[in-house]
Amino acid sequence: MPDLLQQPLTWTNAAIFFAWVVVLLLVILGFVTYAIYFERKILGWMQLRIGPNRTGPLGLLQTVADVFKLLIKEDTIPRKADRELFILAPIITFIPAFVVTAVIPYSSTLISSDLNVGVLYYVALSGISTIGIVLGGWASNNKYALLGGMRSAAQMISYEIPLVISVVGVIMMTGSMNLNRIVEGQAGGFWHWNFLPQIVGFAVFVVAAVSELNRTPFDLPEAESELVAGYHVEYSGFRFAFFMLAEYVYVFAISGLTTTLFLGGWHAPFTFLDFIPGIVWFLLKFSLIVFVLIWIRGTLPRVRVDQLMGLGWRVLLPLALLNIFVTAIYMAIAM
């Protein structure tokens, strides 16, 4: 798809752009609905349970029923909460989660927006969601929610730094922050994919990404054992659904970004397989990343707060900085 943002503004282009946004939103909502279903089924399989199997054939309508239930539940706002901020927080959390997907290239032709600063665009907008989470905890006028919001701010800021720095090596090797150019630089087989020369950056990126998603073993902002439910404890109905929706949309976004930056995007692992459409390869790699995220959740226990912060500042940050220096030395020798 051509980059409509760089074309003259006409009614036709505006209609096409609007239609593309609607289609992308429906695709993402469909992913969220069935990512939850498959996560429950996979976790059930790992833990010798059955998982959803009653609502619809094979339980396929269970998540649809759960979403419908959330939408029709009573919307309650605590009497002493800051009403305006309480209402605004889920919106601030969700909108950046959806908007960052605009720069992910799904194939050589299926690109929403071919921005020269695609990596910077993703990092800048994804950080806004932290504000929504902190606002949700603050506006609830609840100590558990406030602690959850503060934890989230500390965690997401601490891990966003190594997350961004871990990508610098890829940018240095490619010479561009354009995600489409980064994928094009990985053509020619899996030995050209960035995860091999950038294995340290790849490892740091994956760990930091799991923490950014607030998923196990880094789900401390919503740890029910000590914070009841964390920053969204006072939310109900569709406002609670917005927070959960944002989390799974970020699973979509981070899986697409990992595929793009390190796993060759739409390129086949072997050149003789290039006859298979690029979107197929992208979806296979994307699905593998999603499965690994579910696998991690079903395997690892939650870490303590001091372990979380220590890992971010004492391990991941030095490794990410070391990766930049090693990449710079390698490029200087290679040139």
Side-chain angles (χ1 to χ4, degrees):
M1 178 179 177
D3 188 359
L4 295 173
L5 294 179
Q6 297 180 3
Q7 295 185 9
L9 181 60
T10 63
W11 285 108
T12 302
N13 286 342
I16 295 174
F17 180 77
F18 180 77
W20 172 246
V21 170
V22 171
V23 169
L24 184 60
L25 178 61
L26 292 176
V27 169
I28 292 175
L29 291 178
F31 164 81
V32 170
T33 301
Y34 284 98
I36 297 172
Y37 167 79
F38 282 109
E39 179 164 16
R40 295 169 69 180
K41 292 295 283 189
I42 292 171
L43 290 178
W45 169 63
M46 289 179 175
Q47 299 166 359
L48 300 180
R49 296 185 290 105
I50 297 175
N53 69 333
R54 296 300 181 92
T55 310
L58 302 177
L60 287 170
L61 297 180
Q62 181 62 60
T63 307
V64 177
D66 292 340
V67 172
F68 181 70
K69 180 184 71 173
L70 279 176
L71 294 178
I72 64 174
K73 287 186 71 172
E74 180 183 4
D75 176 34
T76 60
I77 299 178
R79 183 167 54 88
K80 294 186 177 181
D82 189 319
R83 187 178 181 87
E84 290 75 17
L85 293 180
F86 188 88
I87 294 172
L88 191 61
I91 301 173
I92 294 178
T93 303
F94 169 72
I95 290 179
F98 173 70
V99 173
V100 295
T101 61
V103 292
I104 297 176
Y106 304 99
S107 73
S108 58
T109 55
L110 195 60
I111 305 169
S112 300
S113 184
D114 191 18
L115 295 181
N116 288 330
V117 289
V119 176
L120 183 62
Y121 172 90
Y122 182 97
V123 172
L125 287 182
S126 63
I128 297 176
S129 292
T130 307
I131 301 174
I133 291 175
V134 174
L135 280 180
W138 170 263
S140 296
N141 195 26
N142 179 300
K143 291 182 176 61
Y144 291 112
L146 179 60
L147 285 172
M150 293 298 101
R151 272 190 180 186
S152 181
Q155 175 175 330
M156 298 182 79
I157 291 172
S158 299
Y159 277 80
E160 191 146 350
I161 295 172
L163 180 78
V164 174
I165 296 177
S166 67
V167 181
V168 173
V170 173
I171 297 172
M172 292 169 64
M173 293 180 62
T174 309
S176 174
M177 287 194 290
N178 185 307
L179 291 174
N180 194 34
R181 304 292 178 274
I182 291 175
V183 176
E184 290 174 350
Q186 300 176 74
F190 74 90
W191 52 92
H192 293 291
W193 295 356
N194 289 328
F195 83 94
L196 287 174
Q198 290 292 312
I199 188 65
V200 175
F202 177 62
V204 172
F205 182 88
V206 170
V207 176
V210 174
S211 180
E212 284 286 293
L213 294 172
N214 287 337
R215 290 176 61 86
T216 307
F218 304 119
D219 57 338
L220 278 82
E222 50 190 73
E224 68 278 0
S225 57
E226 64 267 23
L227 294 181
V228 186
Y231 59 88
H232 53 58
V233 66
E234 296 289 358
Y235 283 87
S236 63
F238 73 95
R239 299 190 200 282
F240 173 80
F242 264 97
F243 281 118
M244 292 299 98
L245 182 63
E247 178 179 326
Y248 278 91
V249 172
Y250 271 123
V251 170
F252 179 97
I254 207 70
S255 299
L257 189 65
T258 305
T259 302
T260 300
L261 291 174
F262 295 99
L263 300 181
W266 62 78
H267 291 301
F270 300 98
T271 53
F272 65 85
L273 295 174
D274 285 342
F275 66 92
I276 299 176
I279 185 66
V280 174
W281 290 116
F282 182 91
L283 291 177
L284 286 174
K285 300 170 189 176
F286 173 89
S287 301
L288 176 63
I289 297 297
V290 174
F291 173 76
V292 169
L293 291 175
I294 297 173
W295 190 359
I296 291 173
R297 178 173 182 177
T299 305
L300 299 178
R302 178 183 296 137
V303 299
R304 298 195 312 264
V305 175
D306 60 315
Q307 294 172 330
L308 172 82
M309 302 304 287
L311 176 65
W313 291 106
R314 298 178 183 176
V315 179
L316 296 186
L317 181 59
L319 282 177
L321 292 171
L322 177 64
N323 181 63
I324 293 178
F325 286 112
V326 172
T327 303
I329 293 172
Y330 167 78
M331 292 180 65
I333 294 175
M335 292 176 62

